[in-house]
Amino acid sequence: MSLNYKENNLKNVLHGFFLAIAMTIAEPSTILPLIVHHFSESVVLVGVFASLLRGGAIAVQLFAAFYAQGYKRVMPYLKKVFLARFLSWFAIGLAILLIGDKNPTLTLWIFGIGLFIFSFSAGFGSIYFSEIIAKVFNKEERGKSMANRQFFAAIGSIISGGIAGWVLATFEPPKSYAYLFMISAFLLGLGLWAFSTIKEPVKENVRIKEKSFLEFLKNAFKFLKEDKALQIQILTILFSYSFLFAFPFVILKANQTIHLTGWLVGGFVTVQMIGALLGNLVWKKLAPKYKLIIILAYLSMILAFIVAYFASNSWQYALVFFLIGFAMDGFKIAGMNLLFEIAPEDKRPIYVALQNNLTSIGLFFAIPGGLILKAFSYDVLYLFTIFMLLVGLFFATKLKAE
């Protein structure tokens, strides 16, 4: 273990813990669909907002990598990203509180813009974050620290799920939604501050930045074309997002099938995070066997939607959320660490940007998912999702890994 592992691990964990508390407030599978549904009846719009939260940062990551490849330090830029994320999250709550039902269309516009800024800024942040994680931890430490981060993030989400359940049951919407965002913004700020105090080492092996962004793009896709391992890696991670075709709509199907209370919604969030918590204990033990981790994550996700297909009571729906929570963090840990194994140090920001950029198409899978649901049925949507996950599992077995 490196001399600063304990300190850096703590700061990484605190960041993950408080970020999870904030993000659980707009959980794309439970609370976010209910907020959007409060202001609009459109199921397609639910998919659009779920995608905004997860994927507002497609092209920007390559642009960030274009500059980041020449940076010896990235922390000063990451701090600016943190400020944008805090302000946009708080602004969403303020807009819901001050405007709310008075003008539902305007509220949704501000909500959408806030989610976009929050996610868009994360496009820059993910490049800088990955650089810092790769710098301060070695191969074994990364897996352990990220498992620790996600373990405590799951605890944060469990706490947040309980708070969310209480707020939703105590206050009338849309005020309840506004309070959730505004309170969580300040908790988010604590995590952002903690990570920003990490002492980032100077990176000596940097690339000379190309003269233009277009030249950079040509080089980046040349690397992709020449590196078969990177191609398989990207396809594996892209298909891991296939669960998003159906995930935002599981809660809406549950609302039709069972009596859905505020406490039960908060309970599903909590169960999902318990799944993530227990999953991270498993992933931490398996690190650095990252190929095995991603295969197990795929199997768990496929099982979740098989259960969802037949679910008819609250316990079965709880199992769905548990299995999905178990799988999601496995994808996160394996995706980052498998990439670091094949990425040359000087090209690391480019490899990270290529993977994040191309796989972030998957973050918008909820939109075609909503269209499939509108045109067909929940059963067709679930079967399609299972098929896409099976394709991803096939690519996962082809990964280059130790």
Side-chain angles (χ1 to χ4, degrees):
M1 291 291 177
S2 58
L3 291 174
N4 294 324
Y5 172 75
K6 287 186 178 179
E7 181 183 334
N8 291 331
N9 177 60
L10 176 61
K11 292 173 180 179
N12 187 29
V13 165
L14 287 172
H15 178 233
F17 175 77
F18 286 111
L19 179 62
I21 288 178
M23 293 297 288
T24 304
I25 297 307
E27 227 297 312
S29 58
T30 48
I31 298 174
L32 180 64
L34 296 176
I35 296 175
V36 177
H37 210 56
H38 177 85
F39 296 108
S40 170
E41 294 294 318
S42 172
V43 292
V44 175
L45 202 59
V46 172
V48 170
F49 273 74
S51 297
L52 274 176
L53 178 63
R54 294 183 185 275
I58 285 193
V60 73
Q61 292 191 13
L62 280 169
F63 189 71
F66 171 51
Y67 287 98
Q69 62 178 328
Y71 293 156
K72 293 188 174 183
R73 284 197 177 97
V74 297
M75 185 62 83
Y77 306 97
L78 185 59
K79 288 178 180 178
K80 293 177 182 178
V81 168
F82 284 168
L83 180 61
R85 282 167 73 76
F86 168 78
L87 292 175
S88 59
W89 201 251
F90 183 79
I92 290 171
L94 195 62
I96 293 174
L97 182 66
L98 298 180
I99 303 171
D101 290 334
K102 297 173 190 173
N103 192 333
T105 303
L106 179 59
T107 302
L108 281 174
W109 269 104
I110 296 173
F111 190 13
I113 292 168
L115 288 180
F116 177 78
I117 292 172
F118 186 82
S119 185
F120 182 86
S121 59
F124 287 91
S126 64
I127 300 297
Y128 306 146
F129 174 83
S130 296
E131 267 295 282
I132 291 171
I133 292 297
K135 280 182 178 183
V136 301
F137 299 119
N138 64 32
K139 178 182 176 179
E140 184 178 350
E141 289 172 350
R142 277 198 306 271
K144 291 185 182 299
S145 184
M146 292 307 293
N148 287 335
R149 173 192 171 91
Q150 292 177 178
F151 178 86
F152 284 98
I155 292 176
S157 296
I158 290 169
I159 294 169
S160 185
I163 295 170
W166 178 79
V167 171
L168 290 171
T170 305
F171 300 97
E172 289 294 317
K175 281 188 177 180
S176 55
Y177 305 139
Y179 295 151
L180 288 175
F181 272 95
M182 294 171 77
I183 293 167
S184 66
F186 287 101
L187 295 173
L188 171 65
L190 293 174
L192 301 180
W193 171 81
F195 195 85
S196 68
T197 61
I198 286 178
K199 294 180 177 65
E200 179 192 6
V202 175
K203 180 181 177 181
E204 299 298 342
N205 189 13
V206 296
R207 281 174 56 84
I208 298 173
K209 184 165 68 73
E210 290 87 348
K211 293 179 181 179
S212 70
F213 183 55
L214 184 60
E215 185 183 346
F216 165 78
L217 286 176
K218 288 179 181 177
N219 285 337
F221 284 98
K222 181 184 175 186
F223 300 150
L224 176 60
K225 188 177 180 181
E226 293 174 349
D227 195 333
K228 186 73 174 178
L230 179 60
Q231 294 170 21
I232 299 294
Q233 165 81 12
I234 286 173
L235 285 169
T236 301
I237 303 305
L238 174 61
F239 279 94
S240 75
Y241 288 111
S242 295
F243 76 97
L244 292 177
F245 281 112
F247 195 25
F249 308 104
V250 171
I251 195 71
L252 300 182
K253 179 64 161 65
N255 201 22
Q256 293 179 6
T257 311
I258 58 179
H259 177 59
L260 203 60
T261 65
W263 279 112
L264 196 54
V265 173
F268 285 155
V269 174
T270 301
V271 168
Q272 182 182 330
M273 297 312 149
I274 290 172
L277 189 150
L278 294 178
N280 278 297
L281 292 176
V282 175
W283 311 140
K284 184 176 179 180
K285 289 287 185 184
L286 291 176
K289 297 176 182 176
Y290 300 118
K291 181 176 178 178
L292 177 60
I293 289 173
I294 204 164
I295 288 173
L296 290 175
Y298 261 113
L299 291 172
S300 176
M301 194 67 81
I302 290 166
L303 179 59
F305 283 99
I306 292 172
V307 175
Y309 184 89
F310 296 103
S312 60
N313 59 55
S314 58
W315 290 105
Q316 290 169 336
Y317 277 106
L319 179 59
V320 172
F321 285 106
F322 175 87
L323 289 169
I324 291 174
F326 187 90
M328 283 174 68
D329 282 355
F331 286 138
K332 290 177 189 175
I333 288 176
M336 174 186 286
N337 283 287
L338 285 166
L339 184 66
F340 287 158
E341 288 303 299
I342 63 172
E345 184 185 12
D346 62 325
K347 298 175 185 174
R348 191 166 55 216
I350 302 171
Y351 272 54
V352 171
L354 280 169
Q355 173 168 298
N356 290 349
N357 192 275
L358 294 173
T359 62
S360 61
I361 296 167
L363 297 171
F364 292 90
F365 282 167
I367 296 175
L371 295 173
I372 291 170
L373 175 57
K374 189 176 181 181
F376 300 100
S377 66
Y378 283 101
D379 287 352
V380 172
L381 179 58
Y382 289 161
L383 290 172
F384 175 78
T385 301
I386 291 167
F387 172 76
M388 296 297 278
L389 287 167
L390 286 169
V391 174
L393 178 60
F394 168 77
F395 285 117
T397 63
K398 305 295 181 184
L399 283 167
K400 179 182 177 182
E402 294 180 12

